[in-house]
Amino acid sequence: QTLRLNTIDGGLGSRAYGVYLSSGAAPVMDRNIIKAQGGGWHYGVYVDSQGTAATLRNNLIQGGTGPSSYGIYVFNGDPKIYNNTIDGGDGANYTSAIYLGNNNAEIVNNILFNSGTSGVRFCIQELSYNILANLPRPQLLANLLCLEAKSLCL
């Protein structure tokens, strides 16, 4: 299945998702505008389950505003993330363009940044348990990480 040329708005609420992928979903998402909005915890794209192997390419993805904001949050799964512009958003306390939990993601040729100016900010945040437990690690190739004041990268 392919989702192409859409504008997806995650709306408002205590948790808002532009796109939520689980249960082995493997769509190709190409040339979309995907946004979470404001309120609480916000995710442009949330990848939830092992075996979820979505391909995200050529998209504009934004995390939104609120206490915590994420452009792409990979809790578990193996997405392919190519040629996207990813804005973690403007979380008052915490923002990450890409968060990586237990995964084997391929992240290639993306532009990553956070549009806000407050709180702790990451371009890419990887769950430290992956490193300690020798779990699969993401492949990071040719990404442009745009940093601003208070950013922490990798």
Side-chain angles (χ1 to χ4, degrees):
Q1 296 180 3
T2 300
L3 292 139
R4 182 176 287 131
L5 298 171
N6 297 286
T7 298
I8 301 168
D9 185 345
L12 303 172
S14 61
R15 288 191 187 263
Y17 305 91
V19 174
Y20 188 100
L21 301 169
S22 67
S23 302
V28 173
M29 302 182 66
D30 182 44
R31 294 180 281 165
N32 299 288
I33 298 171
I34 303 168
K35 297 187 231 179
Q37 291 297 320
W41 292 64
H42 291 94
Y43 311 90
V45 175
Y46 192 100
V47 181
D48 187 31
S49 301
Q50 191 166 11
T52 301
T55 299
L56 307 170
R57 64 181 186 217
N58 306 311
N59 298 290
L60 173 60
I61 300 170
Q62 184 179 34
T65 62
S68 296
S69 177
Y70 304 88
I72 297 176
Y73 190 101
V74 182
F75 178 73
N76 206 345
D78 303 316
K80 294 171 178 49
I81 303 169
Y82 305 134
N83 306 316
N84 299 285
T85 298
I86 304 165
D87 174 7
D90 187 13
N93 300 321
Y94 191 83
T95 302
S96 185
I98 298 179
Y99 175 90
L100 300 169
N102 183 17
N103 70 87
N104 192 23
E106 290 180 28
I107 302 168
V108 180
N109 198 35
N110 297 281
I111 298 171
L112 310 175
F113 66 100
N114 297 303
S115 59
T117 58
S118 61
V120 178
R121 318 190 88 62
F122 296 90
C123 286
I124 298 177
Q125 180 189 5
E126 183 179 3
L127 182 67
S128 60
Y129 177 78
N130 291 359
I131 298 166
L132 298 174
N134 199 28
L135 292 172
R137 301 288 307 284
Q139 298 179 40
L140 305 172
L141 302 169
N143 294 285
L144 175 61
L145 308 175
C146 301
L147 305 179
E148 69 282 342
K150 295 187 181 181
S151 283
L152 301 173
C153 186
L154 298 178

